[in-house]
């Protein structure tokens, strides 16, 4: 991390699971003015700033939502269920929890609607959407993605489907800066 400032880069990209807090802390302590961005699970926690003992951060993380943004009634219901069942960290559901919840709901609905066989259930899921602040839907086996490739049963990304939010911690709050329909602030270079 002590070499980042000397590099000719605008940012550092990272993929760091919840257990991998060391790279985030090293970045915070390095004094660099180059942001660290990516899937940085620890930074999704509402307790992140207290974890690093700061009121702002150069972390720009990708997540389902931020806690200052408005949640749909379904998403809020899930957050309430999560909070009533888990009193440990993270205190609110993070990226994987929302995706797992949406996938489970899609599967349960497909199994209930047309669950005479696994093949029938899968086919029903291919034609199902689930809205949880964003629209979850999967590609069918013969469906092309916008890049012209086939990704059977992979999550559909992009406008009208799932678009991860990008957030930035500043002044003690986690602010959504992208995509526009979920943003409650604009990116600021700190």
């Amino acid at each position: 991390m002590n070499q980042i400032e000397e590099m000719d880069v605008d940012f550092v990209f990272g993929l760091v699971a919840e257990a991998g807090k060391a790279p985030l802390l090293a970045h915070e302590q390095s004094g660099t003015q180059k942001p660290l961005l990516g899937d940085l699970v620890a930074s999704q926690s509402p307790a992140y700033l207290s974890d690093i003992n700061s009121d702002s951060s150069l972390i720009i993380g990708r997540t389902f939502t931020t806690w200052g943004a408005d949640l749909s009634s379904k998403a809020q219901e899930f957050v309430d269920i999560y909070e009533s069942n888990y009193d440990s960290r993270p205190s609110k559901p993070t990226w994987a929890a929302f995706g797992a919840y949406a996938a489970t709901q899609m599967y349960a609905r497909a199994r209930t609607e047309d669950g005479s066989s696994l093949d029938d259930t899968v086919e029903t899921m291919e034609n199902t959407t689930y809205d949880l602040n964003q629209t979850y839907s999967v590609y069918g086996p013969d469906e092309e993605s916008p890049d012209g490739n086939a990704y059977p049963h992979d999550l559909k990304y992009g406008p009208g489907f799932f678009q991860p939010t990008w957030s930035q911690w500043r002044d003690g709050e986690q602010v959504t800066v992208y995509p526009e329909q979920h943003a409650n602030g604009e990116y600021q270079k700190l």
Side-chain angles (χ1 to χ4, degrees), residues 24 34 36 40 55 67 74-75 79 88-89 91 95-96 98 103 110 120-121 141 147 166 174 184 187:
L24 277 67
K34 312 257 174 123
L36 175 62
L40 310 165
D55 65 351
W67 304 114
K74 277 187 187 176
V79 171
S88 62
R89 291 186 50 159
S91 61
W95 177 272
F98 279 99
D120 291 338
T121 300
D147 68 5
W166 289 87
Q174 190 182 33
N184 60 350
Y187 169 75

Side-chain angles (χ1 to χ4, degrees), residues 126 136-141 143 145 150-157:
E126 293 167 353
Y136 287 79
S137 183
V138 297
Y139 288 105
E143 194 173 4
S145 69
Y151 301 103
H153 309 135
D154 199 2
L155 184 63
K156 291 181 181 179
Y157 285 87

